[in-house]
Amino acid sequence: MEPITIYHNGECSKCRGALEILQEQGIPHQVRWYIAEPLSKPEIIALLNKLHMQPSDLVRKSESLYKANYEGRNISEDEWITILTKNPILIERPVVEKGKKAVVARPPERIFEILS
């Protein structure tokens, strides 16, 4: 079985819900505490490719940091990658990755989309 990684923020109820699904289903996984251990540019690019998303699509627009510093600004997709590496709190969560697939698990049950 391919390894599963959950990009987790313990403060987030959706992250906790996704982690609970993995635990309840007995699915082996690793937890990446992406706030404490931010993703590098190559990691973000690889994850975006698996998600089939643009960097701006991965931005949590409900975060106060986004509203205060980025809302309404004309920011390129390349600039968003840099912003996300420096401000991991802006990454939409939770992201669950398995092999060549990944999903933003909102709602947490979306995990099942990549498990089969």
Side-chain angles (χ1 to χ4, degrees):
M1 177 185 251
E2 293 176 292
I4 295 175
T5 301
I6 180 170
Y7 295 85
H8 186 67
N9 176 344
E11 302 291 316
C12 171
S13 63
K14 300 293 186 208
C15 287
R16 291 190 306 269
L19 186 58
E20 284 175 18
I21 288 172
L22 293 171
Q23 292 168 339
E24 288 170 1
Q25 298 288 321
I27 299 168
H29 60 278
Q30 60 184 14
V31 176
R32 172 80 180 259
W33 297 87
Y34 71 95
I35 302 294
E37 185 186 341
L39 282 74
S40 66
K41 283 184 182 184
E43 287 175 314
I44 288 178
I45 291 167
L47 197 57
L48 287 164
N49 287 332
K50 292 175 184 183
L51 289 164
H52 303 286
M53 294 173 73
Q54 293 295 315
S56 59
D57 297 329
L58 193 59
V59 176
R60 283 183 56 81
K61 297 178 176 69
S62 61
E63 284 293 331
S64 58
L65 178 64
Y66 170 81
K67 291 177 181 179
N69 296 313
Y70 304 107
E71 188 171 39
R73 290 183 48 198
N74 186 15
I75 299 170
S76 74
E77 297 299 335
D78 286 339
E79 289 172 316
W80 273 122
I81 292 171
T82 300
I83 292 166
L84 292 172
T85 61
K86 294 179 180 179
N87 302 282
I89 193 71
L90 290 176
I91 296 174
E92 188 61 81
R93 60 187 185 251
V95 174
V96 180
E97 174 184 37
K98 178 186 176 194
K100 295 180 181 180
K101 299 178 186 177
V103 65
V104 176
R106 295 183 76 82
E109 292 77 16
R110 288 202 61 210
I111 288 173
F112 295 110
E113 293 174 21
I114 64 167
L115 294 181
S116 55

PDB file of all heavy atoms in Angstrom, residues 25-54:
ATOM      1  N   GLN A  25     -10.427   3.820  10.526  1.00  0.00           N
ATOM      2  CA  GLN A  25     -10.374   2.840   9.446  1.00  0.00           C
ATOM      3  C   GLN A  25      -9.118   1.966   9.529  1.00  0.00           C
ATOM      4  O   GLN A  25      -8.953   1.049   8.736  1.00  0.00           O
ATOM      5  CB  GLN A  25     -10.420   3.536   8.081  1.00  0.00           C
ATOM      6  CG  GLN A  25     -11.677   4.321   7.819  1.00  0.00           C
ATOM      7  CD  GLN A  25     -12.878   3.419   7.564  1.00  0.00           C
ATOM      8  OE1 GLN A  25     -12.770   2.401   6.914  1.00  0.00           O
ATOM      9  NE2 GLN A  25     -14.023   3.801   8.102  1.00  0.00           N
ATOM     10  N   GLY A  26      -8.244   2.282  10.480  1.00  0.00           N
ATOM     11  CA  GLY A  26      -7.004   1.522  10.635  1.00  0.00           C
ATOM     12  C   GLY A  26      -6.058   1.689   9.452  1.00  0.00           C
ATOM     13  O   GLY A  26      -5.303   0.773   9.116  1.00  0.00           O
ATOM     14  N   ILE A  27      -6.097   2.855   8.830  1.00  0.00           N
ATOM     15  CA  ILE A  27      -5.281   3.119   7.647  1.00  0.00           C
ATOM     16  C   ILE A  27      -3.932   3.687   8.095  1.00  0.00           C
ATOM     17  O   ILE A  27      -3.884   4.737   8.734  1.00  0.00           O
ATOM     18  CB  ILE A  27      -5.996   4.103   6.702  1.00  0.00           C
ATOM     19  CG1 ILE A  27      -7.322   3.490   6.229  1.00  0.00           C
ATOM     20  CG2 ILE A  27      -5.103   4.478   5.532  1.00  0.00           C
ATOM     21  CD1 ILE A  27      -8.239   4.454   5.543  1.00  0.00           C
ATOM     22  N   PRO A  28      -2.842   2.987   7.774  1.00  0.00           N
ATOM     23  CA  PRO A  28      -1.519   3.512   8.141  1.00  0.00           C
ATOM     24  C   PRO A  28      -1.290   4.874   7.469  1.00  0.00           C
ATOM     25  O   PRO A  28      -1.612   5.053   6.292  1.00  0.00           O
ATOM     26  CB  PRO A  28      -0.545   2.464   7.604  1.00  0.00           C
ATOM     27  CG  PRO A  28      -1.365   1.256   7.317  1.00  0.00           C
ATOM     28  CD  PRO A  28      -2.765   1.725   7.056  1.00  0.00           C
ATOM     29  N   HIS A  29      -0.737   5.801   8.223  1.00  0.00           N
ATOM     30  CA  HIS A  29      -0.532   7.151   7.705  1.00  0.00           C
ATOM     31  C   HIS A  29       0.583   7.834   8.478  1.00  0.00           C
ATOM     32  O   HIS A  29       0.959   7.382   9.559  1.00  0.00           O
ATOM     33  CB  HIS A  29      -1.826   7.968   7.822  1.00  0.00           C
ATOM     34  CG  HIS A  29      -2.301   8.094   9.229  1.00  0.00           C
ATOM     35  ND1 HIS A  29      -3.030   7.096   9.848  1.00  0.00           N
ATOM     36  CD2 HIS A  29      -2.125   9.069  10.153  1.00  0.00           C
ATOM     37  CE1 HIS A  29      -3.287   7.467  11.095  1.00  0.00           C
ATOM     38  NE2 HIS A  29      -2.752   8.652  11.305  1.00  0.00           N
ATOM     39  N   GLN A  30       1.053   8.900   7.902  1.00  0.00           N
ATOM     40  CA  GLN A  30       1.975   9.768   8.624  1.00  0.00           C
ATOM     41  C   GLN A  30       1.368  11.156   8.672  1.00  0.00           C
ATOM     42  O   GLN A  30       0.631  11.548   7.778  1.00  0.00           O
ATOM     43  CB  GLN A  30       3.356   9.781   7.985  1.00  0.00           C
ATOM     44  CG  GLN A  30       3.399  10.262   6.557  1.00  0.00           C
ATOM     45  CD  GLN A  30       4.800  10.149   5.976  1.00  0.00           C
ATOM     46  OE1 GLN A  30       5.679   9.502   6.517  1.00  0.00           O
ATOM     47  NE2 GLN A  30       5.013  10.797   4.837  1.00  0.00           N
ATOM     48  N   VAL A  31       1.674  11.863   9.734  1.00  0.00           N
ATOM     49  CA  VAL A  31       1.150  13.210   9.934  1.00  0.00           C
ATOM     50  C   VAL A  31       2.264  14.207   9.659  1.00  0.00           C
ATOM     51  O   VAL A  31       3.359  14.090  10.215  1.00  0.00           O
ATOM     52  CB  VAL A  31       0.609  13.388  11.370  1.00  0.00           C
ATOM     53  CG1 VAL A  31       0.146  14.818  11.598  1.00  0.00           C
ATOM     54  CG2 VAL A  31      -0.521  12.407  11.643  1.00  0.00           C
ATOM     55  N   ARG A  32       1.986  15.154   8.812  1.00  0.00           N
ATOM     56  CA  ARG A  32       2.920  16.257   8.563  1.00  0.00           C
ATOM     57  C   ARG A  32       2.322  17.506   9.195  1.00  0.00           C
ATOM     58  O   ARG A  32       1.284  18.008   8.766  1.00  0.00           O
ATOM     59  CB  ARG A  32       3.109  16.450   7.049  1.00  0.00           C
ATOM     60  CG  ARG A  32       3.898  17.695   6.649  1.00  0.00           C
ATOM     61  CD  ARG A  32       5.406  17.488   6.781  1.00  0.00           C
ATOM     62  NE  ARG A  32       6.141  18.672   6.393  1.00  0.00           N
ATOM     63  CZ  ARG A  32       6.736  18.846   5.226  1.00  0.00           C
ATOM     64  NH1 ARG A  32       6.692  17.898   4.309  1.00  0.00           N
ATOM     65  NH2 ARG A  32       7.377  19.960   4.969  1.00  0.00           N
ATOM     66  N   TRP A  33       2.949  17.956  10.266  1.00  0.00           N
ATOM     67  CA  TRP A  33       2.515  19.171  10.956  1.00  0.00           C
ATOM     68  C   TRP A  33       3.062  20.355  10.157  1.00  0.00           C
ATOM     69  O   TRP A  33       4.111  20.900  10.464  1.00  0.00           O
ATOM     70  CB  TRP A  33       3.025  19.168  12.393  1.00  0.00           C
ATOM     71  CG  TRP A  33       2.470  18.036  13.179  1.00  0.00           C
ATOM     72  CD1 TRP A  33       2.981  16.775  13.258  1.00  0.00           C
ATOM     73  CD2 TRP A  33       1.284  18.029  13.970  1.00  0.00           C
ATOM     74  NE1 TRP A  33       2.185  15.987  14.061  1.00  0.00           N
ATOM     75  CE2 TRP A  33       1.129  16.734  14.509  1.00  0.00           C
ATOM     76  CE3 TRP A  33       0.322  18.999  14.261  1.00  0.00           C
ATOM     77  CZ2 TRP A  33       0.069  16.383  15.326  1.00  0.00           C
ATOM     78  CZ3 TRP A  33      -0.731  18.647  15.088  1.00  0.00           C
ATOM     79  CH2 TRP A  33      -0.854  17.365  15.607  1.00  0.00           C
ATOM     80  N   TYR A  34       2.347  20.726   9.107  1.00  0.00           N
ATOM     81  CA  TYR A  34       2.873  21.658   8.117  1.00  0.00           C
ATOM     82  C   TYR A  34       3.041  23.082   8.629  1.00  0.00           C
ATOM     83  O   TYR A  34       3.758  23.877   8.014  1.00  0.00           O
ATOM     84  CB  TYR A  34       2.032  21.637   6.839  1.00  0.00           C
ATOM     85  CG  TYR A  34       0.671  22.254   7.002  1.00  0.00           C
ATOM     86  CD1 TYR A  34       0.452  23.578   6.680  1.00  0.00           C
ATOM     87  CD2 TYR A  34      -0.399  21.515   7.499  1.00  0.00           C
ATOM     88  CE1 TYR A  34      -0.792  24.155   6.830  1.00  0.00           C
ATOM     89  CE2 TYR A  34      -1.635  22.076   7.654  1.00  0.00           C
ATOM     90  CZ  TYR A  34      -1.829  23.393   7.320  1.00  0.00           C
ATOM     91  OH  TYR A  34      -3.055  23.956   7.485  1.00  0.00           O
ATOM     92  N   ILE A  35       2.420  23.422   9.747  1.00  0.00           N
ATOM     93  CA  ILE A  35       2.633  24.759  10.317  1.00  0.00           C
ATOM     94  C   ILE A  35       4.016  24.800  10.963  1.00  0.00           C
ATOM     95  O   ILE A  35       4.780  25.742  10.768  1.00  0.00           O
ATOM     96  CB  ILE A  35       1.534  25.127  11.340  1.00  0.00           C
ATOM     97  CG1 ILE A  35       0.143  25.080  10.705  1.00  0.00           C
ATOM     98  CG2 ILE A  35       1.815  26.495  11.974  1.00  0.00           C
ATOM     99  CD1 ILE A  35      -0.130  26.107   9.645  1.00  0.00           C
ATOM    100  N   ALA A  36       4.348  23.768  11.732  1.00  0.00           N
ATOM    101  CA  ALA A  36       5.647  23.696  12.399  1.00  0.00           C
ATOM    102  C   ALA A  36       6.770  23.357  11.422  1.00  0.00           C
ATOM    103  O   ALA A  36       7.911  23.759  11.616  1.00  0.00           O
ATOM    104  CB  ALA A  36       5.602  22.653  13.513  1.00  0.00           C
ATOM    105  N   GLU A  37       6.434  22.585  10.384  1.00  0.00           N
ATOM    106  CA  GLU A  37       7.408  22.163   9.378  1.00  0.00           C
ATOM    107  C   GLU A  37       6.872  22.544   7.994  1.00  0.00           C
ATOM    108  O   GLU A  37       6.305  21.718   7.282  1.00  0.00           O
ATOM    109  CB  GLU A  37       7.618  20.653   9.468  1.00  0.00           C
ATOM    110  CG  GLU A  37       8.686  20.123   8.569  1.00  0.00           C
ATOM    111  CD  GLU A  37       8.765  18.606   8.592  1.00  0.00           C
ATOM    112  OE1 GLU A  37       8.271  17.961   9.527  1.00  0.00           O
ATOM    113  OE2 GLU A  37       9.329  18.080   7.619  1.00  0.00           O
ATOM    114  N   PRO A  38       7.027  23.831   7.624  1.00  0.00           N
ATOM    115  CA  PRO A  38       6.450  24.314   6.364  1.00  0.00           C
ATOM    116  C   PRO A  38       6.967  23.546   5.150  1.00  0.00           C
ATOM    117  O   PRO A  38       8.088  23.050   5.132  1.00  0.00           O
ATOM    118  CB  PRO A  38       6.882  25.781   6.308  1.00  0.00           C
ATOM    119  CG  PRO A  38       7.151  26.154   7.722  1.00  0.00           C
ATOM    120  CD  PRO A  38       7.681  24.901   8.373  1.00  0.00           C
ATOM    121  N   LEU A  39       6.113  23.472   4.155  1.00  0.00           N
ATOM    122  CA  LEU A  39       6.477  22.821   2.907  1.00  0.00           C
ATOM    123  C   LEU A  39       7.427  23.711   2.116  1.00  0.00           C
ATOM    124  O   LEU A  39       7.293  24.939   2.131  1.00  0.00           O
ATOM    125  CB  LEU A  39       5.232  22.543   2.068  1.00  0.00           C
ATOM    126  CG  LEU A  39       4.389  21.341   2.478  1.00  0.00           C
ATOM    127  CD1 LEU A  39       3.596  21.613   3.731  1.00  0.00           C
ATOM    128  CD2 LEU A  39       3.465  20.968   1.354  1.00  0.00           C
ATOM    129  N   SER A  40       8.362  23.088   1.419  1.00  0.00           N
ATOM    130  CA  SER A  40       9.269  23.818   0.541  1.00  0.00           C
ATOM    131  C   SER A  40       8.537  24.124  -0.767  1.00  0.00           C
ATOM    132  O   SER A  40       7.467  23.569  -1.043  1.00  0.00           O
ATOM    133  CB  SER A  40      10.500  22.968   0.255  1.00  0.00           C
ATOM    134  OG  SER A  40      10.131  21.822  -0.504  1.00  0.00           O
ATOM    135  N   LYS A  41       9.144  24.963  -1.585  1.00  0.00           N
ATOM    136  CA  LYS A  41       8.547  25.260  -2.896  1.00  0.00           C
ATOM    137  C   LYS A  41       8.362  23.986  -3.716  1.00  0.00           C
ATOM    138  O   LYS A  41       7.276  23.766  -4.258  1.00  0.00           O
ATOM    139  CB  LYS A  41       9.388  26.280  -3.660  1.00  0.00           C
ATOM    140  CG  LYS A  41       9.213  27.689  -3.161  1.00  0.00           C
ATOM    141  CD  LYS A  41       9.992  28.661  -4.027  1.00  0.00           C
ATOM    142  CE  LYS A  41       9.847  30.071  -3.495  1.00  0.00           C
ATOM    143  NZ  LYS A  41      10.510  31.053  -4.368  1.00  0.00           N
ATOM    144  N   PRO A  42       9.395  23.114  -3.822  1.00  0.00           N
ATOM    145  CA  PRO A  42       9.186  21.880  -4.593  1.00  0.00           C
ATOM    146  C   PRO A  42       8.078  20.991  -4.012  1.00  0.00           C
ATOM    147  O   PRO A  42       7.329  20.372  -4.772  1.00  0.00           O
ATOM    148  CB  PRO A  42      10.547  21.180  -4.538  1.00  0.00           C
ATOM    149  CG  PRO A  42      11.532  22.275  -4.288  1.00  0.00           C
ATOM    150  CD  PRO A  42      10.794  23.274  -3.436  1.00  0.00           C
ATOM    151  N   GLU A  43       7.953  20.957  -2.695  1.00  0.00           N
ATOM    152  CA  GLU A  43       6.885  20.156  -2.082  1.00  0.00           C
ATOM    153  C   GLU A  43       5.513  20.720  -2.416  1.00  0.00           C
ATOM    154  O   GLU A  43       4.580  19.978  -2.710  1.00  0.00           O
ATOM    155  CB  GLU A  43       7.060  20.088  -0.563  1.00  0.00           C
ATOM    156  CG  GLU A  43       8.203  19.209  -0.123  1.00  0.00           C
ATOM    157  CD  GLU A  43       8.420  19.249   1.380  1.00  0.00           C
ATOM    158  OE1 GLU A  43       8.417  20.356   1.972  1.00  0.00           O
ATOM    159  OE2 GLU A  43       8.596  18.161   1.964  1.00  0.00           O
ATOM    160  N   ILE A  44       5.376  22.039  -2.363  1.00  0.00           N
ATOM    161  CA  ILE A  44       4.094  22.667  -2.694  1.00  0.00           C
ATOM    162  C   ILE A  44       3.758  22.422  -4.167  1.00  0.00           C
ATOM    163  O   ILE A  44       2.620  22.082  -4.497  1.00  0.00           O
ATOM    164  CB  ILE A  44       4.092  24.172  -2.357  1.00  0.00           C
ATOM    165  CG1 ILE A  44       4.047  24.350  -0.827  1.00  0.00           C
ATOM    166  CG2 ILE A  44       2.913  24.885  -3.017  1.00  0.00           C
ATOM    167  CD1 ILE A  44       4.096  25.772  -0.355  1.00  0.00           C
ATOM    168  N   ILE A  45       4.730  22.571  -5.038  1.00  0.00           N
ATOM    169  CA  ILE A  45       4.486  22.352  -6.465  1.00  0.00           C
ATOM    170  C   ILE A  45       4.053  20.910  -6.719  1.00  0.00           C
ATOM    171  O   ILE A  45       3.090  20.655  -7.449  1.00  0.00           O
ATOM    172  CB  ILE A  45       5.735  22.730  -7.290  1.00  0.00           C
ATOM    173  CG1 ILE A  45       5.937  24.253  -7.242  1.00  0.00           C
ATOM    174  CG2 ILE A  45       5.606  22.241  -8.733  1.00  0.00           C
ATOM    175  CD1 ILE A  45       7.291  24.725  -7.740  1.00  0.00           C
ATOM    176  N   ALA A  46       4.740  19.949  -6.098  1.00  0.00           N
ATOM    177  CA  ALA A  46       4.375  18.534  -6.262  1.00  0.00           C
ATOM    178  C   ALA A  46       2.965  18.272  -5.733  1.00  0.00           C
ATOM    179  O   ALA A  46       2.177  17.554  -6.372  1.00  0.00           O
ATOM    180  CB  ALA A  46       5.388  17.646  -5.547  1.00  0.00           C
ATOM    181  N   LEU A  47       2.638  18.857  -4.595  1.00  0.00           N
ATOM    182  CA  LEU A  47       1.308  18.672  -4.026  1.00  0.00           C
ATOM    183  C   LEU A  47       0.241  19.289  -4.913  1.00  0.00           C
ATOM    184  O   LEU A  47      -0.809  18.676  -5.160  1.00  0.00           O
ATOM    185  CB  LEU A  47       1.277  19.278  -2.616  1.00  0.00           C
ATOM    186  CG  LEU A  47       0.138  18.868  -1.711  1.00  0.00           C
ATOM    187  CD1 LEU A  47       0.087  17.352  -1.526  1.00  0.00           C
ATOM    188  CD2 LEU A  47       0.288  19.553  -0.359  1.00  0.00           C
ATOM    189  N   LEU A  48       0.494  20.466  -5.438  1.00  0.00           N
ATOM    190  CA  LEU A  48      -0.457  21.114  -6.338  1.00  0.00           C
ATOM    191  C   LEU A  48      -0.705  20.273  -7.585  1.00  0.00           C
ATOM    192  O   LEU A  48      -1.841  20.175  -8.051  1.00  0.00           O
ATOM    193  CB  LEU A  48       0.041  22.506  -6.734  1.00  0.00           C
ATOM    194  CG  LEU A  48      -0.050  23.570  -5.646  1.00  0.00           C
ATOM    195  CD1 LEU A  48       0.812  24.769  -5.998  1.00  0.00           C
ATOM    196  CD2 LEU A  48      -1.488  23.981  -5.402  1.00  0.00           C
ATOM    197  N   ASN A  49       0.347  19.655  -8.106  1.00  0.00           N
ATOM    198  CA  ASN A  49       0.186  18.774  -9.268  1.00  0.00           C
ATOM    199  C   ASN A  49      -0.717  17.593  -8.934  1.00  0.00           C
ATOM    200  O   ASN A  49      -1.557  17.206  -9.739  1.00  0.00           O
ATOM    201  CB  ASN A  49       1.546  18.297  -9.774  1.00  0.00           C
ATOM    202  CG  ASN A  49       2.309  19.393 -10.490  1.00  0.00           C
ATOM    203  OD1 ASN A  49       1.721  20.301 -11.070  1.00  0.00           O
ATOM    204  ND2 ASN A  49       3.621  19.314 -10.449  1.00  0.00           N
ATOM    205  N   LYS A  50      -0.558  17.036  -7.749  1.00  0.00           N
ATOM    206  CA  LYS A  50      -1.396  15.904  -7.342  1.00  0.00           C
ATOM    207  C   LYS A  50      -2.836  16.337  -7.096  1.00  0.00           C
ATOM    208  O   LYS A  50      -3.764  15.563  -7.298  1.00  0.00           O
ATOM    209  CB  LYS A  50      -0.821  15.248  -6.087  1.00  0.00           C
ATOM    210  CG  LYS A  50       0.504  14.558  -6.339  1.00  0.00           C
ATOM    211  CD  LYS A  50       1.097  14.020  -5.062  1.00  0.00           C
ATOM    212  CE  LYS A  50       2.470  13.418  -5.334  1.00  0.00           C
ATOM    213  NZ  LYS A  50       3.057  12.822  -4.130  1.00  0.00           N
ATOM    214  N   LEU A  51      -3.005  17.554  -6.637  1.00  0.00           N
ATOM    215  CA  LEU A  51      -4.340  18.099  -6.369  1.00  0.00           C
ATOM    216  C   LEU A  51      -5.019  18.605  -7.647  1.00  0.00           C
ATOM    217  O   LEU A  51      -6.227  18.858  -7.639  1.00  0.00           O
ATOM    218  CB  LEU A  51      -4.246  19.266  -5.379  1.00  0.00           C
ATOM    219  CG  LEU A  51      -3.912  18.914  -3.940  1.00  0.00           C
ATOM    220  CD1 LEU A  51      -3.464  20.162  -3.177  1.00  0.00           C
ATOM    221  CD2 LEU A  51      -5.115  18.274  -3.261  1.00  0.00           C
ATOM    222  N   HIS A  52      -4.235  18.811  -8.701  1.00  0.00           N
ATOM    223  CA  HIS A  52      -4.726  19.420  -9.950  1.00  0.00           C
ATOM    224  C   HIS A  52      -5.310  20.803  -9.649  1.00  0.00           C
ATOM    225  O   HIS A  52      -6.416  21.140 -10.077  1.00  0.00           O
ATOM    226  CB  HIS A  52      -5.762  18.532 -10.645  1.00  0.00           C
ATOM    227  CG  HIS A  52      -5.245  17.160 -10.939  1.00  0.00           C
ATOM    228  ND1 HIS A  52      -4.345  16.895 -11.947  1.00  0.00           N
ATOM    229  CD2 HIS A  52      -5.482  15.976 -10.335  1.00  0.00           C
ATOM    230  CE1 HIS A  52      -4.059  15.613 -11.958  1.00  0.00           C
ATOM    231  NE2 HIS A  52      -4.728  15.028 -10.993  1.00  0.00           N
ATOM    232  N   MET A  53      -4.531  21.582  -8.880  1.00  0.00           N
ATOM    233  CA  MET A  53      -4.964  22.917  -8.469  1.00  0.00           C
ATOM    234  C   MET A  53      -3.882  23.941  -8.785  1.00  0.00           C
ATOM    235  O   MET A  53      -2.707  23.601  -8.847  1.00  0.00           O
ATOM    236  CB  MET A  53      -5.232  22.949  -6.951  1.00  0.00           C
ATOM    237  CG  MET A  53      -6.392  22.096  -6.495  1.00  0.00           C
ATOM    238  SD  MET A  53      -6.523  22.023  -4.683  1.00  0.00           S
ATOM    239  CE  MET A  53      -7.146  23.653  -4.331  1.00  0.00           C
ATOM    240  N   GLN A  54      -4.314  25.179  -8.930  1.00  0.00           N
ATOM    241  CA  GLN A  54      -3.400  26.309  -9.018  1.00  0.00           C
ATOM    242  C   GLN A  54      -3.066  26.753  -7.596  1.00  0.00           C
ATOM    243  O   GLN A  54      -3.873  26.551  -6.673  1.00  0.00           O
ATOM    244  CB  GLN A  54      -4.051  27.464  -9.784  1.00  0.00           C
ATOM    245  CG  GLN A  54      -4.294  27.167 -11.244  1.00  0.00           C
ATOM    246  CD  GLN A  54      -2.990  26.986 -11.996  1.00  0.00           C
ATOM    247  OE1 GLN A  54      -2.039  27.752 -11.840  1.00  0.00           O
ATOM    248  NE2 GLN A  54      -2.935  25.937 -12.817  1.00  0.00           N
TER     249      GLN A  54
END
